[in-house]
Amino acid sequence: MNKYEKISIEVRDRIKSGYYPQDHPIPDEHSLAKEFNCSRMTIKRALDVLVMEGLLFRKRGHGTFIIQTKVKDTELNVMGGESLGFSRLVTNQQVKSKIIAFDIEFPTDEVANQLVIEKNEPVYHLIRLRIVDDEPYVIEETYMPSKLIPDITEDVLHKSVYRHIQDTLDLKIGVAHRKIRACKSNEFDQKYLDCKSDDPVLEVEQVGYLNTGIPFEYSFSRHRYDKFVFTTVTVTK
């Protein structure tokens, strides 16, 4: 994990725990750089993540402030911006993964097109149920080129694929393009997410890119409607 990611996680935890008073700016970049023993650029990048997540906003000449929002403790707030992965989104709860499918296969036309690969290039096909504090939250169906992202094992799937990509393979994850749609729950959702037949489900179709611009992931995530909030932030200058 990069230094700025560790700092953003620590500052995020401090914000959520009330460590910083909400009616005052958080410590400035110089003070935080001294505290975390790093450069101001590293601090700026860490705070940029939290600004994109909608936790902080910068007021020119006055400092960086906490955005005061009311989100239920049982809901995860998902923002645009960098792709952190589910395990890093949930920082103060126990996350488990149940492997539903784990295969290597040749891609369909659609999967090959989204990953910009040939149809004879094998891909991992992964389906996992992500469980938070013993409650089902999301089903993830993911395709990854096995040549680009090698050595995925069941041990990796039970932990964090994104951590494997960044820490083990030493690859840098960049942006993600997402489409979010509301769907009716299907038999799969009802079986694994404990959805009722008339419950809506939030489906996120995503293409994730390395910082080199190469797509490494094509996925569909189906989220329980009562466990997630998807938020966008508009900055007005």
PDB file of all heavy atoms in Angstrom, residues 19-37:
ATOM      1  N   TYR A  19     -12.466  12.467  15.758  1.00  0.00           N
ATOM      2  CA  TYR A  19     -11.164  12.922  16.272  1.00  0.00           C
ATOM      3  C   TYR A  19     -10.947  14.398  15.962  1.00  0.00           C
ATOM      4  O   TYR A  19     -10.416  15.149  16.788  1.00  0.00           O
ATOM      5  CB  TYR A  19     -10.059  12.069  15.655  1.00  0.00           C
ATOM      6  CG  TYR A  19      -8.655  12.411  16.076  1.00  0.00           C
ATOM      7  CD1 TYR A  19      -8.095  11.842  17.218  1.00  0.00           C
ATOM      8  CD2 TYR A  19      -7.867  13.268  15.315  1.00  0.00           C
ATOM      9  CE1 TYR A  19      -6.786  12.147  17.603  1.00  0.00           C
ATOM     10  CE2 TYR A  19      -6.570  13.575  15.683  1.00  0.00           C
ATOM     11  CZ  TYR A  19      -6.036  13.014  16.822  1.00  0.00           C
ATOM     12  OH  TYR A  19      -4.754  13.323  17.200  1.00  0.00           O
ATOM     13  N   TYR A  20     -11.356  14.825  14.760  1.00  0.00           N
ATOM     14  CA  TYR A  20     -11.258  16.233  14.382  1.00  0.00           C
ATOM     15  C   TYR A  20     -12.607  16.915  14.614  1.00  0.00           C
ATOM     16  O   TYR A  20     -13.639  16.383  14.202  1.00  0.00           O
ATOM     17  CB  TYR A  20     -10.882  16.387  12.910  1.00  0.00           C
ATOM     18  CG  TYR A  20      -9.522  15.841  12.533  1.00  0.00           C
ATOM     19  CD1 TYR A  20      -9.383  14.931  11.492  1.00  0.00           C
ATOM     20  CD2 TYR A  20      -8.371  16.250  13.197  1.00  0.00           C
ATOM     21  CE1 TYR A  20      -8.132  14.427  11.123  1.00  0.00           C
ATOM     22  CE2 TYR A  20      -7.124  15.756  12.848  1.00  0.00           C
ATOM     23  CZ  TYR A  20      -7.011  14.850  11.807  1.00  0.00           C
ATOM     24  OH  TYR A  20      -5.779  14.361  11.454  1.00  0.00           O
ATOM     25  N   PRO A  21     -12.640  18.085  15.259  1.00  0.00           N
ATOM     26  CA  PRO A  21     -13.914  18.806  15.421  1.00  0.00           C
ATOM     27  C   PRO A  21     -14.453  19.258  14.071  1.00  0.00           C
ATOM     28  O   PRO A  21     -13.696  19.719  13.208  1.00  0.00           O
ATOM     29  CB  PRO A  21     -13.538  20.001  16.304  1.00  0.00           C
ATOM     30  CG  PRO A  21     -12.055  20.178  16.110  1.00  0.00           C
ATOM     31  CD  PRO A  21     -11.504  18.804  15.869  1.00  0.00           C
ATOM     32  N   GLN A  22     -15.761  19.118  13.873  1.00  0.00           N
ATOM     33  CA  GLN A  22     -16.348  19.400  12.562  1.00  0.00           C
ATOM     34  C   GLN A  22     -16.471  20.889  12.264  1.00  0.00           C
ATOM     35  O   GLN A  22     -16.660  21.270  11.117  1.00  0.00           O
ATOM     36  CB  GLN A  22     -17.716  18.732  12.448  1.00  0.00           C
ATOM     37  CG  GLN A  22     -17.654  17.218  12.391  1.00  0.00           C
ATOM     38  CD  GLN A  22     -18.933  16.605  11.864  1.00  0.00           C
ATOM     39  OE1 GLN A  22     -19.981  17.238  11.828  1.00  0.00           O
ATOM     40  NE2 GLN A  22     -18.861  15.355  11.447  1.00  0.00           N
ATOM     41  N   ASP A  23     -16.390  21.729  13.288  1.00  0.00           N
ATOM     42  CA  ASP A  23     -16.564  23.168  13.057  1.00  0.00           C
ATOM     43  C   ASP A  23     -15.238  23.904  12.909  1.00  0.00           C
ATOM     44  O   ASP A  23     -15.196  25.131  12.927  1.00  0.00           O
ATOM     45  CB  ASP A  23     -17.394  23.794  14.180  1.00  0.00           C
ATOM     46  CG  ASP A  23     -16.802  23.513  15.564  1.00  0.00           C
ATOM     47  OD1 ASP A  23     -15.887  22.670  15.658  1.00  0.00           O
ATOM     48  OD2 ASP A  23     -17.254  24.146  16.538  1.00  0.00           O
ATOM     49  N   HIS A  24     -14.139  23.148  12.770  1.00  0.00           N
ATOM     50  CA  HIS A  24     -12.830  23.753  12.560  1.00  0.00           C
ATOM     51  C   HIS A  24     -12.124  23.025  11.410  1.00  0.00           C
ATOM     52  O   HIS A  24     -12.403  21.849  11.152  1.00  0.00           O
ATOM     53  CB  HIS A  24     -11.964  23.646  13.825  1.00  0.00           C
ATOM     54  CG  HIS A  24     -12.410  24.524  14.945  1.00  0.00           C
ATOM     55  ND1 HIS A  24     -13.434  24.187  15.786  1.00  0.00           N
ATOM     56  CD2 HIS A  24     -11.968  25.748  15.360  1.00  0.00           C
ATOM     57  CE1 HIS A  24     -13.621  25.145  16.683  1.00  0.00           C
ATOM     58  NE2 HIS A  24     -12.747  26.099  16.444  1.00  0.00           N
ATOM     59  N   PRO A  25     -11.203  23.698  10.715  1.00  0.00           N
ATOM     60  CA  PRO A  25     -10.444  22.993   9.670  1.00  0.00           C
ATOM     61  C   PRO A  25      -9.556  21.926  10.290  1.00  0.00           C
ATOM     62  O   PRO A  25      -9.145  22.037  11.452  1.00  0.00           O
ATOM     63  CB  PRO A  25      -9.612  24.111   9.025  1.00  0.00           C
ATOM     64  CG  PRO A  25      -9.506  25.177  10.070  1.00  0.00           C
ATOM     65  CD  PRO A  25     -10.802  25.117  10.837  1.00  0.00           C
ATOM     66  N   ILE A  26      -9.279  20.881   9.527  1.00  0.00           N
ATOM     67  CA  ILE A  26      -8.330  19.874   9.996  1.00  0.00           C
ATOM     68  C   ILE A  26      -6.929  20.486   9.935  1.00  0.00           C
ATOM     69  O   ILE A  26      -6.725  21.551   9.342  1.00  0.00           O
ATOM     70  CB  ILE A  26      -8.410  18.593   9.145  1.00  0.00           C
ATOM     71  CG1 ILE A  26      -7.922  18.854   7.710  1.00  0.00           C
ATOM     72  CG2 ILE A  26      -9.823  18.024   9.131  1.00  0.00           C
ATOM     73  CD1 ILE A  26      -7.743  17.573   6.891  1.00  0.00           C
ATOM     74  N   PRO A  27      -5.927  19.873  10.557  1.00  0.00           N
ATOM     75  CA  PRO A  27      -4.566  20.422  10.495  1.00  0.00           C
ATOM     76  C   PRO A  27      -4.107  20.645   9.054  1.00  0.00           C
ATOM     77  O   PRO A  27      -4.494  19.915   8.141  1.00  0.00           O
ATOM     78  CB  PRO A  27      -3.728  19.339  11.185  1.00  0.00           C
ATOM     79  CG  PRO A  27      -4.678  18.675  12.128  1.00  0.00           C
ATOM     80  CD  PRO A  27      -5.998  18.675  11.425  1.00  0.00           C
ATOM     81  N   ASP A  28      -3.299  21.683   8.863  1.00  0.00           N
ATOM     82  CA  ASP A  28      -2.856  22.015   7.509  1.00  0.00           C
ATOM     83  C   ASP A  28      -1.859  20.974   6.997  1.00  0.00           C
ATOM     84  O   ASP A  28      -1.384  20.110   7.747  1.00  0.00           O
ATOM     85  CB  ASP A  28      -2.257  23.419   7.458  1.00  0.00           C
ATOM     86  CG  ASP A  28      -1.060  23.588   8.397  1.00  0.00           C
ATOM     87  OD1 ASP A  28      -0.202  22.691   8.447  1.00  0.00           O
ATOM     88  OD2 ASP A  28      -0.989  24.619   9.086  1.00  0.00           O
ATOM     89  N   GLU A  29      -1.557  21.057   5.702  1.00  0.00           N
ATOM     90  CA  GLU A  29      -0.696  20.051   5.064  1.00  0.00           C
ATOM     91  C   GLU A  29       0.694  20.007   5.690  1.00  0.00           C
ATOM     92  O   GLU A  29       1.293  18.936   5.826  1.00  0.00           O
ATOM     93  CB  GLU A  29      -0.604  20.327   3.561  1.00  0.00           C
ATOM     94  CG  GLU A  29      -1.908  20.092   2.817  1.00  0.00           C
ATOM     95  CD  GLU A  29      -1.791  20.399   1.335  1.00  0.00           C
ATOM     96  OE1 GLU A  29      -0.668  20.758   0.894  1.00  0.00           O
ATOM     97  OE2 GLU A  29      -2.805  20.286   0.616  1.00  0.00           O
ATOM     98  N   HIS A  30       1.213  21.184   6.075  1.00  0.00           N
ATOM     99  CA  HIS A  30       2.550  21.221   6.685  1.00  0.00           C
ATOM    100  C   HIS A  30       2.556  20.456   8.003  1.00  0.00           C
ATOM    101  O   HIS A  30       3.480  19.662   8.278  1.00  0.00           O
ATOM    102  CB  HIS A  30       2.988  22.670   6.908  1.00  0.00           C
ATOM    103  CG  HIS A  30       4.317  22.806   7.580  1.00  0.00           C
ATOM    104  ND1 HIS A  30       5.517  22.627   6.905  1.00  0.00           N
ATOM    105  CD2 HIS A  30       4.654  23.083   8.877  1.00  0.00           C
ATOM    106  CE1 HIS A  30       6.519  22.776   7.745  1.00  0.00           C
ATOM    107  NE2 HIS A  30       6.025  23.063   8.943  1.00  0.00           N
ATOM    108  N   SER A  31       1.517  20.664   8.826  1.00  0.00           N
ATOM    109  CA  SER A  31       1.436  19.986  10.123  1.00  0.00           C
ATOM    110  C   SER A  31       1.268  18.486   9.951  1.00  0.00           C
ATOM    111  O   SER A  31       1.898  17.689  10.663  1.00  0.00           O
ATOM    112  CB  SER A  31       0.277  20.551  10.943  1.00  0.00           C
ATOM    113  OG  SER A  31       0.447  21.931  11.192  1.00  0.00           O
ATOM    114  N   LEU A  32       0.423  18.091   8.994  1.00  0.00           N
ATOM    115  CA  LEU A  32       0.203  16.663   8.758  1.00  0.00           C
ATOM    116  C   LEU A  32       1.450  16.003   8.192  1.00  0.00           C
ATOM    117  O   LEU A  32       1.769  14.855   8.539  1.00  0.00           O
ATOM    118  CB  LEU A  32      -0.985  16.471   7.812  1.00  0.00           C
ATOM    119  CG  LEU A  32      -2.363  16.797   8.395  1.00  0.00           C
ATOM    120  CD1 LEU A  32      -3.433  16.736   7.309  1.00  0.00           C
ATOM    121  CD2 LEU A  32      -2.716  15.828   9.528  1.00  0.00           C
ATOM    122  N   ALA A  33       2.166  16.721   7.320  1.00  0.00           N
ATOM    123  CA  ALA A  33       3.406  16.167   6.757  1.00  0.00           C
ATOM    124  C   ALA A  33       4.428  15.921   7.856  1.00  0.00           C
ATOM    125  O   ALA A  33       5.140  14.904   7.854  1.00  0.00           O
ATOM    126  CB  ALA A  33       3.972  17.124   5.706  1.00  0.00           C
ATOM    127  N   LYS A  34       4.482  16.841   8.824  1.00  0.00           N
ATOM    128  CA  LYS A  34       5.400  16.676   9.948  1.00  0.00           C
ATOM    129  C   LYS A  34       4.968  15.497  10.819  1.00  0.00           C
ATOM    130  O   LYS A  34       5.795  14.686  11.256  1.00  0.00           O
ATOM    131  CB  LYS A  34       5.442  17.959  10.774  1.00  0.00           C
ATOM    132  CG  LYS A  34       6.455  17.930  11.899  1.00  0.00           C
ATOM    133  CD  LYS A  34       6.510  19.272  12.620  1.00  0.00           C
ATOM    134  CE  LYS A  34       7.530  19.245  13.759  1.00  0.00           C
ATOM    135  NZ  LYS A  34       7.586  20.556  14.466  1.00  0.00           N
ATOM    136  N   GLU A  35       3.647  15.369  11.061  1.00  0.00           N
ATOM    137  CA  GLU A  35       3.136  14.288  11.896  1.00  0.00           C
ATOM    138  C   GLU A  35       3.390  12.915  11.267  1.00  0.00           C
ATOM    139  O   GLU A  35       3.798  11.972  11.947  1.00  0.00           O
ATOM    140  CB  GLU A  35       1.639  14.463  12.136  1.00  0.00           C
ATOM    141  CG  GLU A  35       1.017  13.321  12.929  1.00  0.00           C
ATOM    142  CD  GLU A  35      -0.490  13.414  13.049  1.00  0.00           C
ATOM    143  OE1 GLU A  35      -1.069  14.428  12.590  1.00  0.00           O
ATOM    144  OE2 GLU A  35      -1.101  12.467  13.586  1.00  0.00           O
ATOM    145  N   PHE A  36       3.143  12.808   9.955  1.00  0.00           N
ATOM    146  CA  PHE A  36       3.271  11.518   9.278  1.00  0.00           C
ATOM    147  C   PHE A  36       4.655  11.293   8.670  1.00  0.00           C
ATOM    148  O   PHE A  36       4.879  10.287   7.998  1.00  0.00           O
ATOM    149  CB  PHE A  36       2.197  11.388   8.192  1.00  0.00           C
ATOM    150  CG  PHE A  36       0.806  11.186   8.732  1.00  0.00           C
ATOM    151  CD1 PHE A  36      -0.101  12.236   8.749  1.00  0.00           C
ATOM    152  CD2 PHE A  36       0.407   9.958   9.219  1.00  0.00           C
ATOM    153  CE1 PHE A  36      -1.391  12.063   9.241  1.00  0.00           C
ATOM    154  CE2 PHE A  36      -0.875   9.769   9.713  1.00  0.00           C
ATOM    155  CZ  PHE A  36      -1.776  10.818   9.739  1.00  0.00           C
ATOM    156  N   ASN A  37       5.547  12.277   8.869  1.00  0.00           N
ATOM    157  CA  ASN A  37       6.931  12.149   8.403  1.00  0.00           C
ATOM    158  C   ASN A  37       6.987  11.877   6.898  1.00  0.00           C
ATOM    159  O   ASN A  37       7.546  10.868   6.443  1.00  0.00           O
ATOM    160  CB  ASN A  37       7.668  11.042   9.170  1.00  0.00           C
ATOM    161  CG  ASN A  37       9.161  11.052   8.924  1.00  0.00           C
ATOM    162  OD1 ASN A  37       9.737  12.109   8.641  1.00  0.00           O
ATOM    163  ND2 ASN A  37       9.792   9.884   9.018  1.00  0.00           N
TER     164      ASN A  37
END
